[in-house]
Amino acid sequence: MPTNTADARVSRTRAALVAAVEEVLEQGAWSELTIGTLCARAQVSRPTFYQHFSSTADLLGVTIRHRLDEARARMCGAPDGPEVIAAALTRLHAEREEYVRLAQEPTVYVQVEAAFEAWLADQVRADFPEAGSVAVSYAAGGIARVMGGWLASGASDAERPSPEELARSLRALNRAVLGTSD
């Protein structure tokens, strides 16, 4: 079989499974976040699932990264810096209830948090290419922690900083820790 056909099939299967998770998250049907249900929704077999993912938490992490990449792609020219973080904050805020519910499932949330921090590390690395891996990890972890607190806060939207304001603050902190990238 030609590689292009195999690659297309892999992409379709992964996309179908991600879409299945998206449906479950959008419906708030947490009891359906099982391999059997996700396979049925995606119309793939259980062995096919395991060819692509090790667990539902693994698939959930990929789904979260997909959501963040979509937020970035929606921005013309895929800019770096605070605009990317602001786009991620806007997307996360729109889906806030889902993430607050996910935080109540510690084994699942660990995977979500890891995917989010890995995505943030990629953004920090792109914005501060001279920064070492420890500094990038430190910054990404700090950003994730602040963003998580911002999402989980019981404050009203009027009482909390906007996504753009928070992104500018995080950028200023990154400059202080990592140096300027300008």
Side-chain angles (χ1 to χ4, degrees), residues 138-160:
Y138 179 81
I143 293 169
R145 177 77 176 175
V146 169
M147 289 172 78
W150 179 81
L151 277 176
S153 166
S156 71
D157 286 347
E159 297 172 324
R160 82 173 89 213

Side-chain angles (χ1 to χ4, degrees), residues 38-140:
L38 295 172
C39 288
R41 283 178 180 251
Q43 298 180 340
V44 301
S45 68
R46 188 176 286 265
T48 298
F49 176 93
Y50 283 112
Q51 288 175 346
H52 300 277
F53 301 101
S54 61
S55 65
T56 54
D58 182 26
L59 171 57
L60 186 59
V62 169
T63 302
I64 300 309
R65 190 170 178 104
H66 172 75
R67 285 179 165 193
L68 294 167
D69 287 341
E70 276 185 338
R72 181 183 180 131
R74 283 190 192 123
M75 302 176 68
C76 295
D80 290 324
E83 296 84 8
V84 172
I85 300 300
L89 283 165
T90 300
R91 174 86 193 242
L92 292 170
H93 186 265
E95 299 161 349
R96 180 173 176 242
E97 289 180 26
E98 292 173 16
Y99 293 107
V100 169
R101 280 189 226 138
L102 283 174
Q104 297 168 2
E105 300 290 333
T107 56
V108 172
Y109 195 70
V110 167
Q111 189 69 28
V112 171
E113 193 173 48
F116 184 54
E117 282 192 35
W119 184 86
L120 285 169
D122 289 345
Q123 306 317 303
V124 171
R125 198 173 292 107
D127 205 22
F128 296 91
E130 303 85 24
S133 61
V134 170
V136 167
S137 179
Y138 179 81

